[in-house]
Amino acid sequence: MKEEVEQVKETITKYMEIHYKMLGNQQYNPYLYKDYFAYNLKGNYSFIQEEVALKNEIACYAQVGSHLMFDDPEVDVKWRMIHNIGKQCQVHVGVDLKIKYKGIDTLTIMKNLEHFFVLVKEGSVWRIEEDRYLSEFKAPINSEKDKVKGVKRKTKRRKRWILASREEKVQPKGQYMREKAVAYAKKYALTPNTQEWKNYEEYGGDCTNFISQCLFAGEIPFDHQGKYVSEKWYWYSDYYRTPSFTSASALKDYMISNTGFGLVAKLGTLESLQIGDIVQLGDLEKTTHSMIVIQIIKDENDSSLTKEVLVAQHSVEGGIRGYNIPLSSKPKTRLYYNILGYNS
């Protein structure tokens, strides 16, 4: 039994090492990858999923040049559960990462990436039949018919949001304390502040709750005004809060549409971002994830150009908490928000 467990651990450890080696080198080698997966139907399906996700991530990194390449990341695998039943083994691991990207001076730290493996024994070798974990690059593939329908549905709403974003915002009376927001983000990115707030990671996601906490730490006041709950923003307890405080989509709506008391924000661009500003993954139709900017890295040859943006984040259960995460390592469909201050 002990020998079997060690073989399972060795398979998973080597698989993780190969994964990050290919990502760091921005080179995919199917022959190094395929043999870690079971040759049955489930194993082949898992391999295809992982292959697509890894290729997408490598392509995303490669688009921004060599500064997202890295060597020898520190991968700390924590063995949470190993349950062996005959020729099948269920494994739950937690992975913490420390990555030194070649073009970024600061160390990127990410914690709490949970993997749920199912391995099967084929002959004398343990292979992966399933690997469940959260990844922004591991998205379901929609049919072309669904994509066309989605485009049609989005058009009218997108036009409405774009028109709204073009309206001139009233100069806010209250100042957003960006440094305080960023200091809070750095302090609680890896360890949630559960003494003052609820952690929603196991309830569907803590990303926007964390970002709202950062905004509040930056002295953006709670907003109780407005006719509808969608026009408000506050959190006092799990039972007395607004969707905009904890939902990415609801926060998007509030940031774009609020013109009265409270937060004043507008849609921006990558080049307009400052520390303390907010980035979301998705588009004006569907928003999936919220992050806060904690550092701007300018181009060495032209200080007016942004080379990289580093963000801090929380995620869902099994997702990554982290800071100094390069925004370029995220999917390209994003929304940028400049936080201007607040109205009193």
Side-chain angles (χ1 to χ4, degrees), residues 175-198:
Q175 183 179 359
Y176 176 44
M177 307 303 290
R178 298 177 179 277
E179 291 78 9
K180 288 185 177 181
V182 170
Y184 183 93
K186 290 181 177 180
K187 183 175 182 179
Y188 293 109
L190 301 181
T191 306
N193 181 11
T194 53
Q195 291 186 343
E196 299 180 81
W197 309 89
K198 186 177 179 67

Side-chain angles (χ1 to χ4, degrees), residues 45-174:
Y45 179 74
S46 292
F47 166 69
I48 292 170
Q49 274 196 316
E50 298 309 318
E51 182 181 51
V52 169
L54 182 56
K55 283 182 176 179
N56 287 343
E57 195 166 2
I58 289 174
C60 178
Y61 281 32
Q63 285 178 10
V64 298
S66 61
H67 81 259
L68 286 187
M69 298 182 76
F70 57 87
D71 293 318
D72 302 321
E74 186 177 324
V75 183
D76 184 13
V77 181
K78 297 177 174 61
W79 305 98
R80 307 214 192 284
M81 184 273 290
I82 300 178
H83 184 51
N84 180 241
I85 309 174
K87 291 189 175 183
Q88 186 184 83
C89 193
Q90 299 173 352
V91 185
H92 175 198
V93 304
V95 179
D96 294 347
L97 298 172
K98 292 182 180 179
I99 295 175
K100 181 64 178 67
Y101 291 97
K102 290 185 177 179
I104 300 174
D105 292 335
T106 52
L107 188 68
T108 297
I109 299 178
M110 294 176 281
K111 296 186 67 175
N112 202 42
L113 177 56
E114 308 286 319
H115 286 255
F116 297 86
F117 288 99
V118 176
L119 289 88
V120 292
K121 194 169 187 180
E122 296 181 334
S124 61
V125 180
W126 285 96
R127 290 191 173 94
I128 298 166
E129 188 175 70
E130 184 179 8
D131 179 12
R132 290 187 291 110
Y133 64 98
L134 180 73
S135 170
E136 291 144 350
F137 294 91
K138 196 174 179 179
I141 301 173
N142 297 320
S143 68
E144 290 302 318
K145 186 177 180 180
D146 290 337
K147 289 178 183 178
V148 171
K149 286 183 179 179
V151 169
K152 290 180 179 178
R153 284 197 301 268
K154 291 177 183 179
T155 303
K156 288 185 178 179
R157 287 190 62 182
R158 183 181 288 114
K159 285 182 179 178
R160 175 164 57 86
W161 283 118
I162 290 174
L163 289 172
S165 70
R166 287 175 179 169
E167 295 177 1
E168 290 296 325
K169 297 279 187 176
V170 177
Q171 185 63 32
K173 297 178 181 179

Side-chain angles (χ1 to χ4, degrees), residues 176 211 214-215 251 255 273-274 276-280 290-293 335-339:
Y176 176 44
I211 295 310
C214 294
L215 292 171
L251 179 61
M255 287 194 292
L273 289 175
Q274 302 178 56
D277 282 341
I278 306 302
V279 181
Q280 291 187 319
S290 304
M291 302 163 284
I292 183 169
V293 176
L335 294 171
Y336 308 103
Y337 304 90
N338 300 135
I339 308 301

Side-chain angles (χ1 to χ4, degrees), residues 214-270:
C214 294
L215 292 171
F216 185 71
E219 301 187 7
I220 300 298
F222 286 165
D223 183 357
H224 291 268
Q225 297 188 18
K227 183 178 180 180
Y228 304 103
V229 69
S230 60
E231 299 170 346
K232 304 175 183 181
W233 179 78
Y234 57 80
W235 189 100
Y236 293 99
S237 73
D238 188 33
Y239 305 101
Y240 187 30
R241 61 185 170 92
T242 60
S244 59
F245 205 91
T246 55
S247 162
S249 181
L251 179 61
K252 170 200 69 180
D253 293 348
Y254 177 73
M255 287 194 292
I256 291 177
S257 62
N258 188 54
T259 56
F261 178 87
L263 178 70
V264 179
K266 69 175 183 178
L267 285 171
T269 64
L270 179 68

